Amino acid sequence: MALTLTEKILTQHLVEGNGTLPPRGADIAIRIDQTLTQDATGTMAYLQFETIGLDRVKTELSVSYIDHNTLQEDFKNMDDHRYLQSVAARYGLWFSRAGNGICHQVHLERFGVPGKTLLGSDSHTPTGGGLGMLAIGAGGLDVAVAMGGGAFHLSMPKVFGVRLSGRLRAGVAAKDVILEVLRRETVKGGVGSVYEYFGPGVASLTVPQRATITNMGAELGATCSVFPSDEVTRSFLAQMGREESYEPLVADENAKYDKIIEIDLSTLEAMAAQPHSPDAVAPLSTLTGKSVTQVVIGSCTNSSLADLTAVAAIVKGRHVATGVEAGIAPGTRQTLMAAERSGVLGELIRAGFRILESACGPCIGMGFAPNSGGVSLRTFNRNFKGRSGTPDAQVYLVSPESAAAAAIAGTIVDPVTIAEEFTQNERTFSLPPDYFFRDDNMLVPPLSPDEARQAEIVRGPNIKPCPASPNLPDSLILPVLLKTGDNVSTDDIMPAGAKVLPLRSNIPEISKFTFERLDQGFYGRASAASGCFVVGGENYGQGSSREHAALAPMYLGVRAVIVKSFARIHKANLVNYGIIPVVFEHAEDYDAIAQGDILEFSGIRSSLQEGTPFTIRRTSDGKAFAARNDLDERSRGVLLAGGLAAWTRAGGQ
Ligand code: MIC
Ligand code: SF4
């Protein structure tokens, strides 16, 4: 049977069954070859890994990155970094030191291998799909299990083919391709699916361009996105000094996709995702002339040397407009060094860019917050309200070309209109033909098993144990303490930013910020109650993989979340921490429930044992709400056990 590339990689990694893939939507378990964590999710992941009691990670390769919590206002972040470095030494992981770059970009350059599976405790792990990897984001606990050699469970995804033809025009970028996909598909269009790129246009895109597209596939809610591995992949790996990792990979000729999206690259325009959602996409030409106060280039989406070079070519000989603050963060230290060598860095400094650390930085509100009501053009992947650190800022997501053009003009400009000049400038920045991207000085390799056993784990006072999930009773009578709208992101559930991120290792403290963006009173109400429910709309929990968005609500007594639909990673995190994810059978029942209603949720254990619908009734008038139990058998087992940690301890797989 002709297979898609996704199906081929999944088939090779199946740990159960006879090597044949089950129907779409069925639970599958796959072997994970590589894992990655970052510092904001890593501490919880390794605290969990420690409790598994293994001597060493069992994957082919596991890397612990420091890239998120790099503003060190006090001891907390660096204490976490020390803990992570000592855990990496003890358990046989690679460790990427602060300053080495953003996990997804470093991984692409130094470790990614076509055809391998990668599980990362960060939602943008699918960046690796640009190299032909099946790279998936997950909660830290799932990554801890995979590091211990356990399988990763997911729903067998649908495979959407994105057929690319033509070539991008000058001034139109890879970012515009994914913005176009988001415009058509929306932030929930990809739930339960993989986007697989194919067609004659693929060969015209470099690996960093492909990685921009697969990175931001996370914003579609997709399981991941993947490109074939071809001669372009080979030359990227060769440039990184890793040609031996190359393997050609492509879908079979007559592979069947669940749907096909056609994109002619040559007709695409420059685009922008408008405030406050990555799918609020409009052609940039409809926004030209709008005043801009800030421009930032960087993040795991757009921080390659080619991105920086495009910016330098646009600003060459000019200066950032007086009304604009401009910043640029190269994705990796290797990129920064190459930018220095090619003359790109000097041009950016001369033009008035503030050179930011090779880290997540402004993308996650770690500094560089815009002014009140400011208009910030960013090459990032998320523009949820308040994520930048300024609640009333207007954040637009654009390509590096579009950001650079605005930095000079002080207003939004369509880069296509200035493309001729800057494509000529681009040629003035070059590297020597034998230039090699290879500098692993900030990567600490794993210790030998004997040395590793001697390594001591260092714990700062802010690192508190992960709280245990409660046991699951058969019935719960509790109030709805919060009712939210559609597309609530994990930034809404548990904000990030410079103030909150240092508390990621301390659940009692971080829980004080739960739902803060939506309702400042939630923490007080939840602390006073002995348990509660949350009701939500469509695509609840979109965005990041942070399991703190499940852990903190669990700590505050949230026992079930009842919504119209869930985002994938958050739903899995809820199960892992023993919170029941429930879906309304009839979306209109959402309207009938009010915040403050008391609901009786009965026969929970038998519904989970038998896989039958849940029974929910309002106590005041007895009104019943039909609720779907769409959990697979393993998830139901995990919930019955009181969460993944308890399930794993009891021998569950
Ligand atoms: C994000 O972009 O929101 C983050 C910060 O990288 C998160 C991870 C986290 O919250 O630590 C993600 O995307 O998973
Ligand atoms: Fe870091 Fe932003 Fe990428 Fe998340 S999306 S990994 S915060 S750069």
Side-chain angles (χ1 to χ4, degrees), residues 104 120-126 136-138 215 218-219 382 543-545 569:
H104 309 302
S121 62
D122 191 283
S123 65
H124 290 101
T125 304
I136 304 176
N215 170 287
E219 275 52 69
R382 291 191 172 133
S544 103
S545 69
I569 307 179

Side-chain angles (χ1 to χ4, degrees), residues 603-625:
I604 302 173
R605 294 193 71 88
S606 52
S607 288
L608 288 171
Q609 268 143 9
E610 286 147 32
T612 49
F614 293 121
T615 311
I616 300 180
R617 214 178 46 87
R618 180 163 44 209
T619 54
S620 59
D621 58 0
K623 182 173 167 50
F625 301 98

Side-chain angles (χ1 to χ4, degrees), residues 68 102-104 122 124 215 299-300 360 363-364 381-382 387:
H68 280 64
I102 306 173
C103 56
H104 309 302
D122 191 283
H124 290 101
N215 170 287
S299 89
C300 55
C360 299
C363 178
I364 194 60
N381 47 37
R382 291 191 172 133
R387 179 173 159 104

